[in-house]
Amino acid sequence: MSTRAAAFVTAATAAILARARAAPAVDYAAMEMAEARALFARNNAYWNRLEVPLPEIREMALPGPAGAMRARLYRPQGGTSALPVLLYVHGGGWTFGGVDSHDRCLRILAQ
């Protein structure tokens, strides 16, 4: 990581990036989808090990053309009135990751 970029990256994020760079490459395309998703979940579980407490976290289902989609509402401390909304769609290509794989990241954003 460049010195300039390092100024914007926390120590915790730098550790995650270093771990990702050090991990061996995985050929997900050569695997069955269920196996690839399970491996992705195992390899990335460490992102969520440290829980970030929030006063409200609510499981939701949003209607979609192919059926309901899982969603999660994160309400920050002091968020008792109407608040702005952030819709976070991670870059998993509708293949990998989801509500659980990005939980800690979204808790931090909600703070």
Side-chain angles (χ1 to χ4, degrees), residues 1-109:
M1 177 180 337
S2 72
T3 306
R4 185 172 178 207
F8 299 98
V9 176
T10 66
T13 300
I16 289 171
L17 294 173
R19 182 175 176 162
R21 280 192 301 275
V26 176
D27 185 5
Y28 289 111
M31 299 177 187
E32 292 293 324
M33 186 58 69
E35 177 189 5
R37 285 179 173 158
L39 180 61
F40 177 86
R42 278 194 311 276
N43 286 348
N44 297 296
Y46 68 93
W47 292 352
N48 291 313
R49 286 209 178 109
L50 300 174
E51 189 172 295
V52 176
L54 291 172
E56 181 183 1
I57 299 167
R58 185 178 352 145
E59 299 295 325
M60 303 174 73
L62 303 177
M69 297 177 289
R70 285 183 64 207
R72 194 170 287 152
L73 174 86
Y74 299 89
R75 187 173 297 276
Q77 200 69 282
T80 55
S81 60
L83 296 169
V85 171
L86 167 70
L87 175 63
Y88 182 87
V89 180
H90 67 86
W94 306 106
T95 305
F96 295 110
V99 173
D100 297 323
S101 65
H102 288 68
D103 184 66
R104 184 168 190 272
C105 169
L106 293 169
R107 288 171 184 251
I108 290 169
L109 284 172

